[in-house]
Amino acid sequence: MNAVDADSSTAGVVRYSIDEVTPSSGSSLFSIVETTGVVTLAGSLNFTELSTFYRLKINASDGGGKCFFDETIYFSSVAFCNITVVDVPDLDPSFLGLPYVGRVEENSPVGQSVFKVTAVDQDTGVNDMIIYSIEDSTVDGLFTISDDGVISVLSPIDREEFDDTDTVTLTVKATESKQNIHGVYASAITDVLLNITDVNDNVPEFYKCGFSCVKESHFTGEAPENSSGFISINMTVRDLDKVSNTNLTLGGADKDVFAVEPQFTTLDSIVQLVVRQPQKLDFEKTQQMTIEVIATDQYNTLFCSTATVTINIKDVNDNSPTFPQATFRLNVAEHSDVGTVVGNITATDADNPDTENGQIVYGIEESSYSDNFTIDPNTGVLRNSGELDREALDQALEGRIELNVTATDKGTPPLSTSVTVIINVEDVNDNSPQFAAPSYEFFVKEGEKGAFVGSVTAEDLDQTTDFNRISFSIIDGSFGSFIMRTFAMERGYRGNITVDPDIELDYESERKQFKLWVQAEDLERKTAEVMVVVNVVDVNDERPEFTAIKPITVKENTTISGVVGRFLANDKDTNHHLVYELESMECRCNSSLTTCSYFILLPTGEVTQNHELKVDYEQCDQVLIEAQVIDEYTEKGESNSATTGQMVINIEDINDNAPEFIFSDFVYAAHMGPALITFVYGCTHRFPTFHRTTAVLNAELKGKYLISVTATDIGGLFTSTVLEIFTVEKLNKVVLEFSSSEEEVKRNLSDIIRVLTAATNASVEIVSIRPVTVKTSKASGGTIIVAHFYLKGTTLTADDVEELISVPEYYSALKELGFEKIGSDEIESSDTLRDILLGVFGGLVGLAVFVAAFKYRRKKPISNRTVNTTDNKDLEKKSSDEKKSSDEKKSSDADNVSISSLDKMFNFRNQPMNMIQEEEEGIELHNIEPPGEEQSQKGYNNPAFNTAEVLRT
């Protein structure tokens, strides 16, 4: 806002203020900068709960001045600022035209429309379709509702069957057909009050009432002669219809003597007879009169009942005082001053007023409320003698006090007449609402939007709805978490407290208890307040969380019977029961993870060893356990932890494995002077690291050598094995010439070896395959196979082979494979190599190579090894046991000599074998690996030695 003042100096300084905000409830929502006129928000706007439009009255005042005046004069002007609040789409549907109060006649046909409710989407511009339903009803099965909100009759309605109520309250729910921005179908609930309109379907009937009322058709009464006034006959007329309009008339021969009172009634009424012709009540003429009282329904004259009344006439003095009307109806406001004139009750007496027989004395007959009034005995002026409190009266009287006022003459005997005076004590708003209890305490579960918390009740003792209607509200302590609605009860009002549908209470927050101040207010703003304590009850809705645990170390081969480790988890809920479940268990074996079951996870989170399995470091060195924790008491949300817990168990190695010999297919040979033998041993991470030592073999000794070797680790575990070493003459090579090409020979090589083995009973070891040259044969274009034939610890000569394959069966088979003849091979330096022995090593395969290795890759290699030879006698015994024939015995004798010589040559008992560098002392070591594609001509597996290989020449 901006205002301009033409004055100068302080008189021209404009200051702004907000004088008024319409509606006034928005006064705290806006503020204005005094010097600039900028209007800002000082509170939160709410399109639904607060006003959608505000009008601000802005005042602009100058600084004032004394121009031509003795005192400072200030001038100001006002302007209005209109502010419109724009809605956002976040509201539930709202019913229009509340409260809903309808009406329906009893006995209405089924399907008849009764009432229509209308709900709209409060969110501006959405206008979602609304679906209606009846959620509850105080009387079940009477009504139904259509999709467009029309309530109709579902079953016949009989008002008289209801228990003292003429209304049916329906709880109607309006639900939007589409989900709102919160992902739910927004809905609203309201009550529809349907008043059951009475239909005139009952006949008025007569009752005689004492302690209870029973139907009666005959009544009696007494009337003094010449008397006037009411005759009590203990008759009550009643029409069960709510709205009854009953006309009472008299019939019979004496009907003109009496009148009936009341002549018209809409309620259950006491019927009295009024003497209309007291002169006809002459005991001397008649002692009894009979009349009929007829009750007729005004709206349906066919509905009528008749009762007979017998009046017995009493003989008394002639004239009694009479009142000018049968009933006096007076009004007085409650709490009127003592002595207030309520009315003037007058009576007359036909007797001469100048005599005592005509002089009347007024009095009040004793009754429940007669002490509250006095009457002047001479004038009949009726006054209140005490404070009149309508709420102190019986509520069923609805503020009506009934007195019997008597008029008695002074004759002898005195004659008296009474009249009914009905005094209506008018209600005023003189009571404030009163709560039924001094305080309330409720409990509500957390996390339930719109949950019912509890009800408070209050009553305003004023007896008219203008003064006793109450509305409830929460004035403090809610923090926007609760709402309150008011419902009428048969007596008083009930305020239902519920959680705001948009709010979820959280027990884990700072507010576990709310102290609400609830106010009850009547229509004239008389109030009462009460403290309502709302305790938030913890609901198990928090997910458990794992606590990190440190890695655990377990020694291999352990047999721990107790707990190895424990998973730990926390749950914020006060009431929880955690159970742990295994998600996975993986072992790290050879640097890869695989499923295993070394350990057992108990429901308590404790981890124990699975004693059916052995924990072996050499197989797996680490176990990774993943577990899930579940809260079995979870009431809402997820019961398991968001992430799994992990436990790392490291397997600790112990020295539980002896060295292990790994047998190799490698063949080693030494070429020099007397025959040499080489031992190769050692390992690094299962791959051999070769340490060599040499010993000189006696070239003159032939046969097989047995050597016992023991490998011991630093922990004292050891393993032993026996090596077999054969010596053969290198000169016994056999040259086989084939006419076929080298490629074809290689292709048929397995068949060639099979035929040669069958013919010679020897193990055939192929040394080389090469083309025929002019130097080795006169022909060209063929192929030469150079081979050794091993038989019983020695080799066959070319002549031996030639003789054995000359058998026609074998010769023809070889011929088909391209065989030509036994040839010769040129050997260089035959004189120096004649006595060289071939050393063929192997543990079980006759290989003289052993590798002492630990079974697990993290074992460190041991640098020193000890080779022990067995006792000569043991070796001799073993050798002799293997011989089967005399020829074999001869060979065995030679072997025994060789073994004895070898023990002398290899004196390695308890001596470490030192590594020999290559070419040391002129020794040339050859390592021939198993044949591959590039070594197919170097040598082949010999069945007699399993995986041993013949060294290359």
Side-chain angles (χ1 to χ4, degrees):
M1 301 295 292
N2 185 31
V4 179
D5 193 325
D7 295 324
S8 60
S9 188
T10 58
V13 177
V14 179
R15 295 189 179 277
Y16 302 88
S17 63
I18 299 175
D19 286 352
E20 181 181 339
V21 177
T22 303
S24 60
S25 59
S27 300
S28 62
L29 297 179
F30 303 93
S31 64
I32 190 169
V33 179
E34 183 182 33
T35 56
T36 63
V38 175
V39 178
T40 59
L41 275 175
S44 298
L45 301 177
N46 191 309
F47 188 88
T48 305
E49 298 180 4
L50 302 178
S51 177
T52 60
F53 176 84
Y54 297 90
R55 183 181 184 188
L56 277 62
K57 181 178 180 182
I58 309 299
N59 182 293
S61 301
D62 62 15
K66 295 184 177 181
C67 183
F68 306 110
F69 299 96
D70 294 332
E71 58 185 18
T72 302
I73 302 299
Y74 297 89
F75 294 98
S76 64
S77 62
V78 296
F80 293 92
C81 175
N82 296 327
I83 298 175
T84 301
V85 180
V86 178
D87 191 19
V88 293
D90 59 346
L91 298 175
D92 292 335
S94 175
F95 285 95
L96 301 179
L98 295 176
Y100 288 145
V101 179
R103 56 190 297 175
V104 58
E105 288 185 352
E106 67 175 330
N107 303 325
S108 294
V110 174
Q112 176 177 318
S113 298
V114 175
F115 192 83
K116 182 176 181 180
V117 298
T118 302
V120 296
D121 189 342
Q122 297 185 81
D123 300 321
T124 303
V126 176
N127 296 324
D128 196 2
M129 186 178 73
I130 305 299
I131 299 172
Y132 300 89
S133 62
I134 296 176
E135 298 296 309
D136 195 12
S137 175
T138 55
V139 180
D140 295 330
L142 292 183
F143 301 96
T144 184
I145 191 168
S146 63
D147 290 340
D148 57 356
V150 175
I151 300 173
S152 58
V153 178
L154 181 63
S155 61
I157 304 171
D158 188 358
R159 188 200 66 82
E160 285 74 24
E161 292 181 358
F162 295 173
D163 296 332
D164 299 328
T165 179
D166 298 326
T167 62
V168 175
T169 301
L170 304 179
T171 301
V172 176
K173 182 178 182 180
T175 305
E176 294 181 9
S177 59
K178 297 179 181 180
Q179 294 181 349
N180 62 13
I181 60 174
H182 304 295
V184 297
Y185 294 95
S187 63
I189 293 177
T190 190
D191 286 342
V192 177
L193 185 66
L194 296 179
N195 294 309
I196 308 302
T197 304
D198 185 44
V199 174
N200 190 12
D201 59 348
N202 289 280
V203 177
E205 294 178 304
F206 296 100
Y207 295 83
K208 180 178 290 185
C209 296
F211 293 103
S212 61
C213 294
V214 295
K215 291 182 181 179
E216 186 60 65
S217 60
H218 184 77
F219 299 84
T220 59
E222 292 182 351
E225 69 174 335
N226 299 322
S227 65
S228 62
F230 291 90
I231 300 176
S232 176
I233 55 177
N234 193 19
M235 175 187 287
T236 300
V237 65
R238 176 181 295 173
D239 191 333
L240 295 179
D241 294 323
K242 180 179 180 180
V243 178
S244 61
N245 293 277
T246 304
N247 290 324
L248 295 172
T249 58
L250 297 178
D254 301 316
K255 65 178 181 179
D256 294 333
V257 179
F258 304 93
V260 65
E261 181 67 22
Q263 297 178 5
F264 174 80
T265 181
T266 60
L267 302 171
D268 295 348
S269 298
I270 297 174
V271 179
Q272 293 179 318
L273 296 178
V274 180
V275 179
R276 296 178 61 186
Q277 298 176 355
Q279 68 277 10
K280 291 187 177 183
L281 296 179
D282 191 348
F283 183 80
E284 285 73 22
K285 293 181 179 180
T286 181
Q287 290 79 39
Q288 191 178 76
M289 292 182 177
T290 302
I291 59 175
E292 295 178 345
V293 180
I294 303 170
T296 305
D297 193 322
Q298 182 179 3
Y299 298 114
N300 188 348
T301 57
L302 296 178
F303 290 168
C304 64
S305 298
T306 302
T308 301
V309 180
T310 300
I311 304 298
N312 296 312
I313 300 173
K314 295 175 64 177
D315 187 17
V316 294
N317 290 334
D318 286 341
N319 297 294
S320 299
T322 59
F323 292 95
Q325 59 194 61
T327 304
F328 288 86
R329 300 182 182 276
L330 306 174
N331 296 314
V332 62
E334 69 173 326
H335 303 298
S336 295
D337 294 337
V338 175
T340 299
V341 175
V342 178
N344 191 8
I345 311 300
T346 60
T348 60
D349 194 319
D351 295 328
N352 188 347
D354 296 332
T355 65
E356 289 185 347
N357 290 334
Q359 296 177 1
I360 300 174
V361 177
Y362 298 96
I364 301 175
E365 292 182 357
E366 185 176 354
S367 64
S368 299
Y369 301 100
S370 59
D371 292 337
N372 295 84
F373 300 90
T374 60
I375 190 169
D376 190 308
N378 299 316
T379 63
V381 174
L382 186 66
R383 291 182 173 86
N384 65 316
S385 60
E387 183 179 6
L388 297 177
D389 188 354
R390 179 178 172 127
E391 287 72 32
L393 303 178
D394 187 350
Q395 191 171 2
L397 297 176
E398 296 181 345
R400 188 178 63 181
I401 297 176
E402 187 171 305
L403 301 177
N404 286 325
V405 175
T406 61
T408 306
D409 63 18
K410 298 180 180 180
T412 303
L415 300 178
S416 177
T417 303
S418 64
V419 68
T420 300
V421 178
I422 298 175
I423 302 171
N424 182 37
V425 181
E426 297 177 337
D427 191 26
V428 297
N429 191 8
D430 60 335
N431 289 280
S432 297
Q434 297 178 2
F435 284 94
S439 63
Y440 296 86
E441 184 174 9
F442 303 115
F443 296 85
V444 62
K445 291 183 177 180
E446 67 172 333
E448 293 183 5
K449 293 183 177 180
F452 176 75
V453 177
S455 297
V456 300
T457 57
E459 182 183 9
D460 191 324
L461 295 179
D462 296 319
Q463 295 187 356
T464 58
T465 56
D466 291 338
F467 303 129
N468 66 12
R469 185 173 180 178
I470 296 173
S471 62
F472 296 93
S473 61
I474 301 173
I475 60 175
D476 193 19
S478 171
F479 300 99
S481 299
F482 302 91
I483 59 175
M484 197 166 190
R485 292 182 177 175
T486 304
F487 301 91
M489 299 191 302
E490 181 178 355
R491 179 172 179 176
Y493 288 81
R494 182 182 75 253
N496 286 353
I497 302 173
T498 58
V499 178
D500 191 304
D502 296 328
I503 297 296
E504 284 189 2
L505 301 179
D506 188 1
Y507 181 84
E508 285 70 30
S509 67
E510 295 181 356
R511 291 192 178 95
K512 294 180 176 59
Q513 185 184 77
F514 294 81
K515 293 184 178 179
L516 311 180
W517 279 106
V518 174
Q519 182 184 79
E521 183 180 50
D522 65 17
L523 295 179
E524 291 190 354
R525 297 189 178 278
K526 290 190 175 184
T527 63
E529 295 177 0
V530 70
M531 170 67 76
V532 178
V533 178
V534 179
N535 298 290
V536 181
V537 178
D538 186 23
V539 173
N540 194 318
D541 60 349
E542 295 291 335
R543 301 180 74 169
E545 297 177 352
F546 275 99
T547 301
I549 55 178
K550 295 181 180 179
I552 299 169
T553 300
V554 175
K555 291 184 178 181
E556 67 173 329
N557 301 331
T558 185
T559 56
I560 299 175
S561 60
V563 176
V564 174
R566 187 189 307 271
F567 282 93
L568 298 176
N570 295 322
D571 194 318
K572 296 179 182 178
D573 296 312
T574 57
N575 183 27
H576 60 264
H577 183 260
L578 302 184
V579 174
Y580 298 83
E581 295 181 355
L582 180 67
E583 286 287 309
S584 65
M585 183 182 298
E586 294 181 316
C587 293
R588 187 173 68 187
C589 306
N590 295 326
S591 300
S592 63
L593 293 177
T594 183
T595 302
C596 61
S597 55
Y598 278 167
F599 300 92
I600 299 173
L601 174 61
L602 302 179
T604 59
E606 296 177 341
V607 176
T608 61
Q609 184 181 348
N610 185 357
H611 294 292
E612 296 181 0
L613 300 177
K614 177 182 178 182
V615 178
D616 193 350
Y617 174 86
E618 282 69 32
Q619 293 180 0
C620 305
D621 64 344
Q622 189 180 78
V623 180
L624 178 62
I625 303 176
E626 281 194 354
Q628 183 63 266
V629 60
I630 297 174
D631 186 356
E632 293 187 335
Y633 291 172
T634 297
E635 300 174 66
K636 180 180 179 182
E638 298 292 335
S639 63
N640 61 319
S641 62
T643 58
T644 58
Q646 291 188 346
M647 177 183 291
V648 176
I649 301 178
N650 294 315
I651 308 302
E652 182 179 348
D653 184 28
I654 64 174
N655 187 23
D656 61 337
N657 290 283
E660 179 183 345
F661 288 97
I662 301 176
F663 300 102
S664 171
D665 289 339
F666 298 146
V667 176
Y668 297 86
H671 296 269
M672 186 178 176
L676 303 176
I677 183 168
T678 302
F679 296 97
V680 184
Y681 58 91
C683 75
T684 301
H685 303 293
R686 285 186 176 270
F687 297 100
T689 299
F690 298 102
H691 304 275
R692 300 186 178 94
T693 185
T694 60
V696 179
L697 297 178
N698 191 340
E700 296 180 357
L701 297 178
K702 305 293 191 298
K704 179 170 60 177
Y705 293 84
L706 300 179
I707 302 176
S708 176
V709 181
T710 299
T712 305
D713 66 14
I714 60 175
L717 301 178
F718 63 90
T719 302
S720 299
T721 190
V722 176
L723 304 181
E724 294 181 354
I725 301 174
F726 295 89
T727 60
V728 296
E729 294 183 5
K730 187 178 179 183
L731 295 178
N732 290 342
K733 290 190 301 183
V734 179
V735 178
L736 305 172
E737 293 188 13
F738 289 80
S739 61
S740 52
S741 65
E742 180 182 358
E743 181 179 354
E744 187 175 357
V745 169
K746 290 181 178 180
R747 188 166 54 249
N748 298 328
L749 185 59
S750 60
D751 293 334
I752 294 172
I753 295 174
R754 179 177 52 80
V755 176
L756 291 174
T757 302
T760 62
N761 286 326
S763 296
V764 180
E765 189 70 33
I766 303 300
V767 177
S768 65
I769 301 175
R770 63 177 182 271
V772 175
T773 62
V774 178
K775 189 175 181 179
T776 58
S777 177
K778 294 181 179 180
S780 63
T783 304
I784 289 177
I785 295 178
V786 180
H788 284 288
F789 290 80
Y790 299 103
L791 180 63
K792 297 181 181 179
T794 186
T795 55
L796 300 179
T797 65
D799 293 339
D800 296 333
V801 174
E802 184 175 14
E803 179 182 356
L804 292 172
I805 66 174
S806 61
V807 177
E809 177 186 356
Y810 302 122
Y811 184 81
S812 60
L814 289 173
K815 197 69 176 175
E816 290 179 1
L817 295 173
F819 175 72
E820 288 293 332
K821 64 178 180 177
I822 298 294
S824 60
D825 191 22
E826 189 177 86
I827 303 176
E828 298 178 359
S829 305
S830 59
D831 294 337
T832 59
L833 300 176
R834 181 183 54 186
D835 297 326
I836 295 178
L837 299 178
L838 300 178
V840 182
F841 304 86
L844 297 176
V845 299
L847 188 67
V849 178
F850 68 90
V851 180
F854 295 102
K855 294 179 66 176
Y856 192 66
R857 63 180 180 276
R858 295 206 316 121
K859 300 286 188 176
K860 296 183 179 179
I862 300 175
S863 60
N864 295 325
R865 296 290 184 268
T866 302
V867 179
N868 297 326
T869 57
T870 60
D871 187 84
N872 291 345
K873 294 181 180 181
D874 294 337
L875 293 177
E876 290 173 1
K877 184 178 185 299
K878 180 178 180 182
S879 178
S880 63
D881 290 342
E882 295 176 349
K883 308 310 175 184
K884 303 298 181 181
S885 65
S886 60
D887 292 338
E888 292 173 341
K889 187 175 185 304
K890 183 178 180 180
S891 177
S892 175
D893 292 338
D895 289 341
N896 291 340
V897 177
S898 299
I899 291 173
S900 300
S901 301
L902 191 61
D903 279 341
K904 296 176 182 180
M905 294 166 61
F906 290 76
N907 188 13
F908 297 147
R909 185 180 302 271
N910 298 325
Q911 295 181 10
M913 300 179 71
N914 297 322
M915 178 176 178
I916 300 177
Q917 299 297 329
E918 189 173 349
E919 301 299 337
E920 181 182 356
E921 298 179 357
I923 297 177
E924 180 182 0
L925 299 178
H926 295 275
N927 179 5
I928 302 178
E929 298 179 358
E933 292 182 0
E934 297 179 354
Q935 295 178 319
S936 60
Q937 298 181 9
K938 296 179 182 179
Y940 298 88
N941 291 338
N942 188 336
F945 299 97
N946 295 333
T947 57
E949 293 187 356
V950 177
L951 81 109
R952 179 177 55 185
T953 59

